[in-house]
Amino acid sequence: MQYKAPLRDMQFVLHELLDSTSHYKSIPEYQEVEKDIIDSYIEAAASFAENEIAPLNRSGDEEGCTFENGKVTTPKGFKEAYKQYCELGFSALAADEEFGGQNMPFSLSTVVNEIMGSANWSFSMYPGLSHGAIQTLEHHGTDEQKAIYLEKMVTGEWSGTMCLTEAHAGSDLGIIRTKAEPNDDGSYSITGQKIFISAGEHDMTENIVHIVLARLPGAPAGTKGISLFIVPKINVNADGSLAEPNQVTCGSIEHKMGIKASATCVMNFDGAKGFLVGPENRGLNCMFTFMNIARILTAVQGLTASEIAFQGSLEYAKDRLAMRSMSGVKAPDKVADPIIVHPAVRNMLLTEKAFAEGGRALAYYLSFFADIVVKGTGEEQEYADQMLSLLTPIAKAFLTETGYEAANHGVQVYGGHGFISEWGMEQNVRDTRIACLYEGTTEIQSLDLLGRKVLGSKGKMLANFTKVIADFCKEHEADEGMAEFIRPLADLNAEWTDLTGRIAKQAAENPDSVGAAAVDYMYFSGYVTLAYLWARMVAVAKQTLANGTTETGFYDAKIKTAQFYFSKLLPRTRTYVARIDTGAEPYMSMDVDQFAF
């Protein structure tokens, strides 16, 4: 299939659903960001993605990265495409002007990331990780560190990574062993091994700036004793020129299920020179800047999987002929009807479409809060930070899981052809499977949502969002044309609070109840969140149709997709509620030894 950026839907979400104009006017640094500017950027991104990096998607998957003597070579065409990506200014989009950036909103870079990721997720990971590293240094680096590193990273001459995971410590960062010993010159000697480091080594930039978690001597145990360090692949002189290679080497690259054109590296730090970022023993707090950005980008990967599955499935379902419609012949001039006439196929297509367009609304909604967190002030910034804290684990876990579901539907729509590489559907499944794992697995994100964000805030974070939904429902409760959406949404919104209370009561009697309920609670939360956004999209569509428009087909499709979502997908919440109400006992009653029988 050939990816085509869904520009009209992107513009609908940005400008009509989320009112980008008012949003940017409310943030002093973005007041000059007009609708036309946003559209010109995403149109340029679409042209580059469709023509330059989408054609490299399959070839990059087939060729993969090669590793020899500690060096990684990216697939044919990647290095040249990366250079063009930087020349077009995409690497500098959301960075501060002081360091050569364009100071555009994070929300715009989210749209660009969707476009790049849909065209070629492996390619998008190389610059994608640099954005988080840049954000971390902008927020927590010293003036000297910013002067040395940021300009080259912003232009894309240097790239960045995040080095967290160790072989014995996946998402449990409290038990990492990498050490940082102070040197006489104020630097630190970093020793340890990190695994699963995306873009840890490659041939596209002259230097790679690693952001590394490590422990200082005598640091407290657990997460309270972790510090953050800059560790460049090649040491940098005070004037910004490159010096001698640092003691940082790539030990190997992983042989993976998917994203094969993205180098996933084992990185060895053998007394490498590093520099402290932020306060001692507060590295994880600083890293949260990086991790939240990375989690939003991973949520976007789930969205891209749904979009690719939908585009490929729709194209195929219109052309593939098989059987006749049970309600009567639809293509009398052909030997059989196209499979898009069959309800079973439409179910898969509409599921993909509902997850793609609903996921886009959620990812962009989240990115608007990120704009305020990055550039806002006062109570508005605090509120946005709380909303982002609640919604990020929902978006990361829910959109990646639904993206994987949609990707599997993509294979199914094609039948046997979906299992064949040339159509791109099986690659989509392989590439997106990792999204449910990295940046915190679905299970960890779910526990973060329920344990830390909801119960940990004593329901305050959840109440912020359920009030938003309740206010929307109240605004439209008298509109009979919205009743099929507002009534179930209002009921589920109220149930969300009640369900949370029941889990808290279970947890008071059995602490395992939180872990037992977490994933089901995440799914319930995700379906309700998307229901809210779909209801908002319906309200916009209905108002636009009432006002008169030449795009009646577009807006009518929004309403019909929402009807499908509410009638066929939203009822899944009943299963999650039933599962939560059974508590932890069905999981925990069996002895460990009994699992073997």
Side-chain angles (χ1 to χ4, degrees):
M1 62 158 291
Q2 175 60 46
Y3 168 70
K4 187 74 175 175
L7 295 178
R8 181 64 187 91
D9 197 59
M10 292 172 169
Q11 291 164 344
F12 169 80
V13 175
L14 285 171
H15 307 318
E16 299 175 64
L17 178 68
L18 301 179
D19 189 6
S20 62
T21 300
S22 297
H23 169 70
Y24 296 134
K25 292 295 183 188
S26 71
I27 303 173
E29 289 199 38
Y30 298 149
Q31 287 189 354
E32 295 183 4
V33 179
E34 302 285 351
K35 176 180 178 293
D36 290 347
I37 294 174
I38 295 295
D39 288 346
S40 66
Y41 271 104
I42 63 176
E43 287 166 8
S47 176
F48 171 72
E50 292 166 4
N51 295 302
E52 302 299 331
I53 63 173
L56 300 175
N57 191 41
R58 182 181 169 194
S59 62
D61 177 66
E62 292 174 342
E63 182 182 346
C65 293
T66 56
F67 176 79
E68 187 174 357
N69 298 323
K71 303 296 182 183
V72 172
T73 303
T74 52
K76 183 180 179 180
F78 270 51
K79 188 174 183 178
E80 294 77 12
Y82 178 78
K83 181 180 179 182
Q84 189 176 353
Y85 173 93
C86 296
E87 288 173 348
L88 289 169
F90 294 123
S91 63
L93 203 59
D96 285 345
E97 289 178 312
E98 179 182 356
F99 306 107
Q102 300 178 50
N103 200 38
M104 297 300 288
F106 174 79
S107 52
L108 173 58
S109 70
T110 299
V111 182
V112 172
N113 285 327
E114 182 203 334
I115 293 170
M116 301 299 173
S118 297
N120 189 329
W121 188 261
S122 287
F123 175 89
S124 74
M125 289 191 69
Y126 291 97
L129 287 164
S130 291
H131 298 324
I134 290 167
Q135 290 267 340
T136 301
L137 291 180
E138 282 182 343
H139 283 77
H140 304 292
T142 65
D143 290 341
E144 181 182 9
Q145 289 168 347
K146 293 176 184 178
I148 291 174
Y149 295 100
L150 276 181
E151 186 172 342
K152 293 289 182 66
M153 295 177 72
V154 166
T155 61
E157 294 174 70
W158 298 351
S159 61
T161 73
M162 55 192 298
C163 295
L164 288 72
T165 307
E166 299 180 8
H168 66 286
S171 297
D172 188 358
L173 298 176
I175 59 174
I176 65 168
R177 297 172 184 159
T178 299
K179 299 184 299 182
E181 300 281 349
N183 296 324
D184 293 338
D185 62 359
S187 66
Y188 294 80
S189 179
I190 311 297
T191 301
Q193 185 183 79
K194 301 289 185 178
I195 66 168
F196 300 159
I197 308 306
S198 298
E201 170 62 23
H202 56 80
D203 60 351
M204 298 199 295
T205 61
E206 61 181 4
N207 202 5
I208 301 173
V209 180
H210 302 287
I211 306 295
V212 183
L213 289 181
R215 290 187 179 280
L216 292 166
T223 57
K224 294 182 179 180
I226 299 174
S227 299
L228 190 65
F229 300 87
I230 300 169
V231 185
K233 172 185 173 181
I234 302 175
N235 287 312
V236 184
N237 296 315
D239 64 359
S241 61
L242 295 179
E244 74 285 348
N246 206 352
Q247 296 301 306
V248 180
T249 56
C250 178
S252 63
I253 59 174
E254 303 295 347
H255 302 280
K256 302 171 297 185
M257 176 180 178
I259 55 169
K260 294 185 176 184
S262 171
T264 304
C265 305
V266 174
M267 300 302 301
N268 297 317
F269 300 86
D270 301 308
K273 181 176 285 191
F275 304 90
L276 183 68
V277 179
E280 293 184 1
N281 303 324
R282 300 285 289 172
L284 210 54
N285 300 77
C286 297
M287 184 65 90
F288 272 127
T289 302
F290 202 152
M291 291 167 69
N292 281 332
I293 295 297
R295 285 169 180 167
I296 293 172
L297 292 177
T298 307
V300 169
Q301 184 179 3
L303 152 62
T304 68
S306 294
E307 180 63 35
I308 287 298
F310 175 63
Q311 288 194 21
S313 297
L314 180 62
E315 179 182 359
Y316 187 81
K318 286 179 176 179
D319 292 337
R320 176 68 172 179
L321 304 179
M323 300 181 291
R324 290 296 187 185
S325 167
M326 295 181 71
S327 60
V329 173
K330 299 297 189 293
D333 58 325
K334 297 177 180 177
V335 296
D337 288 329
I339 63 173
I340 197 170
V341 307
H342 304 305
V345 174
R346 288 193 168 214
N347 174 54
M348 291 184 283
L349 287 169
L350 283 165
T351 299
E352 294 164 347
K353 182 177 174 65
F355 285 151
E357 295 178 10
R360 180 170 298 114
L362 177 54
Y364 294 8
Y365 183 60
L366 206 66
S367 73
F368 274 40
F369 285 118
D371 286 342
I372 300 170
V373 170
V374 172
K375 296 294 186 180
T377 56
E379 292 182 3
E380 185 182 41
Q381 186 183 46
E382 182 181 351
Y383 175 80
D385 188 51
Q386 289 186 3
M387 290 289 279
L388 200 61
S389 294
L390 175 78
L391 293 171
T392 295
I394 295 174
K396 192 281 174 184
F398 187 74
L399 294 190
T400 57
E401 290 288 351
T402 54
Y404 185 59
E405 178 184 338
N408 278 298
H409 285 317
V411 171
Q412 195 74 10
V413 169
Y414 277 75
H417 291 287
F419 204 67
I420 305 302
S421 297
E422 68 185 84
W423 297 96
M425 293 296 101
E426 62 86 28
Q427 182 185 341
N428 192 31
V429 172
R430 290 188 289 103
D431 283 352
T432 199
R433 185 63 184 89
I434 185 63
C436 303
L437 304 176
Y438 57 20
E439 303 308 329
T441 64
T442 296
E443 291 71 21
I444 286 174
Q445 293 294 331
S446 300
L447 197 57
D448 177 54
L449 169 66
L450 177 57
R452 292 184 66 245
K453 304 301 173 54
V454 177
L455 298 179
S457 69
K458 300 187 184 305
K460 180 182 177 182
M461 287 188 183
L462 178 61
N464 285 342
F465 188 46
T466 55
K467 183 180 185 304
V468 170
I469 299 175
D471 289 346
F472 172 79
C473 291
K474 187 171 181 61
E475 179 186 352
H476 295 278
E477 65 182 355
D479 184 353
E480 280 301 314
M482 289 289 293
E484 64 182 304
F485 308 103
I486 297 302
R487 289 170 185 166
L489 177 60
D491 289 344
L492 283 167
N493 190 46
E495 186 172 15
W496 200 350
T497 301
D498 293 341
L499 184 64
T500 304
R502 296 204 298 274
I503 296 170
K505 186 176 180 180
Q506 288 177 358
E509 300 173 3
N510 181 357
D512 278 331
S513 296
V514 176
V519 173
D520 293 313
Y521 186 85
M522 178 280 296
Y523 275 113
F524 179 92
S525 304
Y527 279 107
V528 176
T529 299
L530 242 65
Y532 161 65
L533 290 166
W534 267 113
R536 280 187 59 179
M537 286 190 274
V538 169
V540 172
K542 283 181 173 289
Q543 186 60 56
T544 303
L545 288 168
N547 293 340
T549 176
T550 59
E551 297 179 287
T552 55
F554 175 84
Y555 292 102
D556 187 51
K558 280 290 175 198
I559 297 169
K560 289 174 178 173
T561 306
Q563 289 170 332
F564 169 83
Y565 181 86
F566 271 75
S567 63
K568 297 297 187 181
L569 297 179
L570 194 57
R572 294 180 181 184
T573 54
R574 308 319 318 149
T575 298
Y576 300 120
V577 171
R579 285 169 55 89
I580 288 169
D581 284 340
T582 60
E585 184 64 17
Y587 295 135
M588 309 308 293
S589 63
M590 188 182 294
D591 291 336
V592 172
D593 291 342
Q594 290 181 288
F595 276 85
F597 293 101

